[in-house]
Amino acid sequence: MSSLALALRLTPYLSRSSSLRQTGLQQTKLRDAGLPILAFGTVTALLLTVAGGSQVFWSWSDDIAGTYQALAVVAMVLLVIPLLTLGASAARLAARRRDDRLASLRLLGASSATVVWMTVIESTLLAAIGAVAGAGLYACAAPFLGLIQFRGQAISGHAWLSVPSILGCILAVCVLAAASAALGLRKVVLTPLGVRTRQKTEGAHWVRGLIAAVVVVFGVVAMGMLSSFGAFMVIIAVMGGCFGLALLALNLMGPWVLRLQASSQLKRAKRPEQLLAARTVLESPKESWRQVGGVAMTSFVGVFVGVGMAVADTMGGSASDETTLLVRDINTGVMITLLGSFLMVACSAGVNQAAAVLDRASTLVALDRVGMPQKLMVAARVKAVMSPLLLVAGISAAAAAALVLPLVGPALLTRPVVFLTVGGVFAAGFLLVRLALAAGTAQISQVLARPERYASMDS
Amino acid sequence: MNAILHAQQLTKHYPGSVALDHVDFAAVAGESIAIIGPSGSGKTTLLHCLAGILRPDAGTVTLTSAAGPIRLDSLGDGALSRLRREEFGFVFQQGMLLPELTALENVALALMLNGTDRTTSEARAAEWLAALGLAGMEQRKLGELSGGQVQRVAIARAQVTGARIVFADEPTGALDSATSNEVLDVLLHSVAANGRTLLVVTHDPNVAARCQRVVELRDGRIVADTGRAVPSPSQPSSPSQPAPAATDFKGAFNV
């Protein structure tokens, strides 16, 4: 029997057998399926909305159309890259809880190919369900999207993507989910016993930081040489590429930064919640990054939004009708970009926080047994998440500022509206994460109220 | 005899079954008590009710303390948490240790939760680990320890705070017989050397035979409660192994 055939046979069987567990049934389903579907649905809905909302810019061909298209590319990169990151994170969320079961299968003799196929099938199915739901949400939002005005006219029917485009987006989300899940299985495939006994923690090598720094430096240099690239479309492509690569680099570097910070905090920890918070991050820097990565991305976006508002501000005094429209449209664009970014943060924080509590349910019960008050458990969790937020948000904003400096110059970058915007974005992002943590606290109470349900959820 | 823990008419229902049926129970300070019975007899439910982990549907559980008797069944979550930090220690079959912490940190955490500073906590934790044969393994994660070593960490954590009562639920259930004997030696000797009370749930008659008293449950009721003459803790578990002296543990700790 081929690996694929075996995987097709085993996947429904394992899904059914996990649903027969008597304890924590609803919570298991929520964590293993509901949350990833929600995440994929949000990603798809936002991707389609961004694509639909920006396609109107490519229908113009006059002199100023290029300016709109350049701004649209920037906005799309600032939204699409974080959305794809969220999608990959959702795929890892869906796959992570299966790691233990899949490791057991490897130890029983299942081939690597079988295990990979099983993961790909499950993740793709969840992504497909979520993506179709997301497309439905986009269809509900499109009429309202059509009311948004650019260049003095509502975008109307331009907000609707063609059916092949929508299907293409759904397919892209599924491919992203499958690829992310398969890549994340390397550890299970190579060292199944290590996964089962949790001998080694997830590392975050310093090479990540080095690569990220090189990419940002490369981006800054490229931005400084934009005018030498000649054709306008090439300039737009280079600009978009630099911003996109920088966002990806931040995503790569994030876990390493968190590991460094947590190592330092571990040495200085004096109280139980400080010790636990540091060890929680060190146990899995990548998982910790998933909790805060959304805010880091939004901070990156915040700098561009602030610069956009500063640009609009400086142009506001001009008497030209076209320029007045452009200023208004820039403000509209930055608000939409910011809104999309915050929706992404809210989804990311909410999904990952909910999953984090369920994932650590048996640990919470163990802490309760040793007499740790619930408020200390909550304090440890809050510290593990909020402590790195300021650092990663600051690094992201600094990287964005470095990239945009060659474009706009220091005078524009240091205008008060930029600092106010970035500060506002920090505050709003932190608030969203804090709200997600508060929702998770209620979950902790539920877990501790019925500890017998969760005492062996990890087995 | 002064009972340190006293339960009266304990009753606990689960859907479709009666886990505890008007159970009366008392434990004297310094006793080692095995609670035995077939699967589903209510052993773990009794242990959890006595430890304040489960609230009984009826009946009372009273802990004798210096400040007077404490009714566990009427305490709030905060008070129960404090009891678990200060008066009780737990050793479970699956350990219930934290995989992200090292062996040392797992033991030290129990002291830190009581307000002891980290340096002192880790120093005392290291003493306990060394006394239980884990010297040099303080920085290992649980995945790097054998099953028997993990249970020794759990035993250290259960007692490092000076808990008066240690509750053990199938502490050797997942271990082979040789390792079970070693872990049981460690548990019984360390508990006895420090004058603590031990309640151990087990289905293993060999474990029960090592305790001073055996309580047997069946269908949620105590059907036998026998104080037994057992070898003193100084006698070895097997002829070939010299037993650690009871004072070995007592001398190592100033609890």
Side-chain angles (χ1 to χ4, degrees):
Chain A
M1 184 184 293
S2 71
S3 301
L4 176 57
L6 186 59
L8 284 168
R9 179 185 289 191
L10 285 177
T11 303
Y13 174 74
L14 280 177
S15 299
R16 186 187 64 213
S17 62
S18 72
S19 72
L20 289 176
R21 290 176 68 168
Q22 295 304 309
T23 58
L25 172 64
Q26 294 302 324
Q27 290 74 13
T28 309
K29 278 186 181 170
L30 175 70
R31 181 190 62 189
D32 291 353
L35 292 175
I37 288 175
L38 174 65
F40 287 127
T42 306
V43 166
T44 307
L46 285 175
L47 277 174
L48 289 171
T49 304
V50 167
S54 57
Q55 69 176 347
V56 66
F57 300 119
W58 309 105
S59 66
W60 303 328
S61 55
D62 56 350
D63 291 343
I64 204 168
T67 306
Y68 278 89
Q69 287 158 7
L71 292 172
V73 164
V74 171
M76 284 173 67
V77 165
L78 292 177
L79 284 176
V80 168
I81 299 293
L83 281 174
L84 293 177
T85 307
L86 174 60
S89 171
R92 281 303 300 140
L93 177 69
R96 190 178 64 241
R97 291 309 304 161
R98 279 187 280 282
D99 278 359
D100 275 355
R101 295 210 296 273
L102 294 175
S104 298
L105 284 174
R106 285 281 288 134
L107 292 168
L108 286 171
S111 70
S112 314
T114 302
V115 162
V116 172
W117 274 121
M118 286 179 68
T119 300
V120 165
I121 290 167
E122 269 196 85
S123 295
T124 307
L125 194 58
L126 289 175
I129 295 171
V132 167
L137 196 59
Y138 157 74
C140 296
F144 300 98
L145 197 64
L147 298 174
I148 296 174
Q149 295 204 345
F150 282 105
R151 302 187 78 173
Q153 291 179 336
I155 60 178
S156 302
H158 287 287
W160 288 97
L161 292 167
S162 63
V163 170
S165 297
I166 294 173
L167 290 174
C169 182
I170 292 174
L171 181 65
V173 169
C174 293
V175 168
L176 173 69
S180 299
L183 282 173
L185 268 185
R186 279 194 321 276
K187 212 166 46 173
V188 172
V189 166
L190 292 175
T191 57
L193 187 62
V195 170
R196 204 68 188 95
T197 58
R198 300 172 81 165
Q199 280 177 358
K200 280 189 188 288
T201 56
E202 259 187 14
H205 206 268
W206 60 266
V207 169
R208 290 169 165 260
L210 181 64
I211 294 173
V214 166
V215 166
V216 171
V217 167
F218 172 80
V220 171
V221 169
M223 294 298 283
M225 295 166 50
L226 264 186
S227 56
S228 64
F229 286 113
F232 181 69
M233 292 311 294
V234 172
I235 291 174
I236 291 184
V238 168
M239 199 167 64
C242 287
F243 296 156
L245 280 174
L247 276 169
L248 288 172
L250 283 171
N251 201 48
L252 184 71
M253 182 184 75
W256 175 68
V257 169
L258 294 191
R259 184 172 67 80
L260 284 183
Q261 187 191 39
S263 297
S264 167
Q265 287 173 338
L266 178 67
K267 290 189 186 113
R268 291 180 281 119
K270 290 191 179 351
R271 296 195 303 270
E273 65 273 21
Q274 292 172 334
L275 172 69
L276 268 178
R279 277 293 183 193
T280 299
V281 175
L282 287 171
E283 178 75 359
S284 179
K286 287 181 190 170
E287 186 182 329
S288 296
W289 172 252
R290 279 191 279 272
Q291 313 283 336
V292 302
V295 173
M297 304 280 178
T298 303
S299 301
F300 190 94
V301 170
V303 171
F304 286 88
V305 166
V307 166
M309 292 176 74
V311 166
D313 211 24
T314 53
M315 293 167 69
S318 166
S320 156
D321 287 343
E322 203 170 58
T323 307
T324 304
L325 263 181
L326 178 62
V327 165
R328 194 167 68 199
D329 290 345
I330 289 174
N331 281 326
T332 302
V334 298
M335 284 302 122
I336 293 172
T337 305
L338 209 51
L339 180 63
S341 196
F342 280 134
L343 282 173
M344 185 209 62
V345 168
C347 176
S348 170
V351 164
N352 281 295
Q353 284 308 316
V357 172
L358 293 172
D359 261 358
R360 290 176 59 77
S362 58
T363 300
L364 294 171
V365 171
L367 286 170
D368 182 59
R369 293 282 187 267
V370 85
M372 190 172 205
Q374 186 176 334
K375 68 174 188 211
L376 278 192
M377 292 185 215
V378 171
R381 191 162 153 269
V382 169
K383 188 163 180 55
V385 173
M386 299 301 291
S387 175
L389 259 187
L390 190 61
L391 177 66
V392 299
I395 291 175
S396 295
L403 280 173
V404 83
L405 181 63
L407 273 183
V408 300
L412 200 65
L413 193 60
T414 53
R415 286 174 76 95
V417 67
V418 176
F419 291 104
L420 280 173
T421 306
V422 171
V425 166
F426 272 31
F430 286 16
L431 183 63
L432 279 171
V433 172
R434 196 62 187 84
L435 285 173
L437 278 167
T441 299
Q443 265 185 303
I444 290 178
S445 299
Q446 288 172 7
V447 167
L448 295 180
R450 298 294 301 269
E452 67 278 6
R453 285 188 169 188
Y454 302 96
S456 59
M457 263 183 97
D458 271 349
S459 61
Chain B
M1 279 195 296
N2 294 323
I4 186 175
L5 193 62
H6 185 205
Q8 281 185 300
Q9 296 291 292
L10 278 186
T11 306
K12 182 70 180 174
H13 296 97
Y14 291 125
S17 67
V18 178
L20 292 177
D21 188 1
H22 300 89
V23 169
D24 292 326
F25 176 87
V28 171
E31 258 190 318
S32 60
I33 305 169
I35 303 173
I36 65 171
S39 181
S41 59
K43 309 187 293 293
T44 296
T45 304
L46 175 61
L47 192 82
H48 285 187
C49 285
L50 293 173
I53 294 171
L54 275 181
R55 283 192 199 281
D57 295 326
T60 62
V61 180
T62 307
L63 173 73
T64 303
S65 73
I70 301 173
R71 280 272 305 272
L72 267 66
D73 50 286
S74 61
L75 289 181
D77 284 339
L80 283 171
S81 291
R82 196 175 71 247
L83 266 187
R84 286 201 281 274
R85 288 198 299 274
E86 297 171 1
E87 300 277 6
F88 299 160
F90 296 92
V91 182
F92 293 99
Q93 179 175 344
Q94 297 296 337
M96 277 213 163
L97 299 168
L98 303 180
E100 59 261 47
L101 301 185
T102 62
L104 184 76
E105 288 165 352
N106 264 290
V107 179
L109 182 67
L111 283 168
M112 290 174 72
L113 285 170
N114 270 330
T116 307
D117 66 89
R118 185 178 173 186
T119 307
T120 307
S121 299
E122 289 188 346
R124 290 195 51 73
E127 287 173 6
W128 265 95
L129 290 175
L132 299 189
L134 295 177
M137 300 184 196
E138 294 85 357
Q139 298 307 320
R140 292 194 191 179
K141 294 284 187 70
L142 302 183
E144 298 167 301
L145 300 172
S146 69
Q149 289 167 341
V150 168
Q151 285 303 71
R152 287 172 194 241
V153 174
I155 290 168
R157 188 185 71 172
Q159 301 186 71
V160 71
T161 58
R164 289 195 291 149
I165 306 177
V166 174
F167 297 92
D169 191 352
E170 306 274 12
T172 60
L175 306 173
D176 61 82
S177 57
T179 312
S180 289
N181 280 332
E182 286 172 16
V183 169
L184 200 54
D185 277 342
V186 165
L187 178 61
L188 287 171
H189 285 107
S190 60
V191 165
N194 289 284
R196 296 190 179 124
T197 305
L198 172 67
L199 272 68
V200 54
V201 162
T202 182
H203 64 273
D204 187 347
N206 294 323
V207 172
R210 301 280 305 278
C211 295
Q212 293 167 313
R213 180 177 155 206
V214 179
V215 173
E216 183 178 353
L217 262 77
R218 200 175 291 272
D219 297 325
R221 293 182 181 182
I222 293 179
V223 297
D225 186 346
T226 313
R228 299 179 52 167
V230 294
S232 71
S234 61
Q235 291 183 6
S237 57
S238 69
S240 60
Q241 288 177 356
T247 54
D248 280 355
F249 294 101
K250 200 166 189 176
F253 315 112
N254 294 318
V255 178

